Amino acid sequence: MIDVYTASTPNGFKVPIALEELGVPYRVIRVNLGAQEQKRPAFLRISPNGRIPAIVDPDGPGGVPLSVFESGAILWYLAEKFGGLIPADPVERVRALEYTCFQIGGIGPMLGQAGWFTRSAPAPVDFAIERYRNESNRLTAVLEARLQGVPWLAGAVFSIADIMNFGWLDAPGYAGVDLADYPAVGAWRDRMHQRPGVQRGLAALR
Ligand SMILES: N[C@@H](CCC(=O)N[C@@H](CS)C(=O)NCC(=O)O)C(=O)O
């Protein structure tokens, strides 16, 4: 049984969705971010960056327990271990890695900052809101161009890249992104919601 340390946030849904899609049993351990549980020493031993999500696989390589932090690394580890969510086709495999990295370096931090400066900053900083909103929309346009040609981000096959990008694009208003402007992304989001594994993964945290 994999232990999943997580919370009900755009990054937090990724691991339950991946495990549901892979059909792997898991246990959710909720981390109270408001109470700063993610900064406690016991949690930092599992997730040195002090953020969710993280996992502990009691049956890691060589049968030794293994902790993994960073959602991209977690999903890659699970996909390799349990044999799914990474396309077999070598080109689609590279595309899955590309759009996974694109989320880690772009969609996640930029939409996160856009939302923070809009809703949580102690004082309004207009140029920061404008910069991060513009960048969030520019990045969403990159996904729009990709999804105009293929059903899933890797290509024909659903993959970890879709799970990685879904969390933030499922709550785009937080970052000032309106999916009415990105119809292919909106249709992809609808396809995601139709998947039973995605539905179960979301329900696991609600
Ligand atoms: N790059 C990280 C981002 C993780 C992240 O930002 N998690 C947020 C929740 S969505 C968090 O733990 N925030 C609490 C904090 O920063 O103290 C990943 O993909 O795992």
Side-chain angles (χ1 to χ4, degrees), residues 34-101:
Q36 296 292 301
E37 286 180 0
Q38 72 278 19
K39 308 300 185 205
R40 291 182 183 167
F43 186 68
L44 293 175
R45 283 194 283 279
I46 297 167
S47 182
N49 195 30
R51 291 188 164 195
I52 60 94
I55 64 165
V56 175
D57 179 358
D59 182 29
V64 176
L66 179 74
S67 63
V68 189
F69 75 105
E70 278 293 328
S71 61
I74 297 169
L75 264 53
W76 196 264
Y77 171 75
L78 295 172
E80 284 200 319
K81 173 165 180 167
F82 295 106
L85 298 178
I86 297 177
D89 176 84
V91 174
E92 291 210 356
R93 204 177 166 82
V94 171
R95 298 288 173 251
L97 186 55
E98 276 180 342
Y99 284 96
T100 293
C101 292

Side-chain angles (χ1 to χ4, degrees), residues 87 91-92 94-100 102-103 107 142-148 150-166 169 184-185 188 191-192:
V91 174
E92 291 210 356
V94 171
R95 298 288 173 251
L97 186 55
E98 276 180 342
Y99 284 96
T100 293
F102 176 80
Q103 192 281 328
I107 290 286
V142 173
L143 294 179
E144 174 70 15
R146 174 68 178 157
L147 290 165
Q148 280 176 0
V150 290
W152 304 110
L153 288 169
V157 174
F158 176 80
S159 76
I160 59 169
D162 298 294
I163 300 172
M164 287 294 289
N165 283 274
F166 173 66
L169 274 311
V185 177
W188 165 82
R191 283 194 293 283
M192 292 289 295

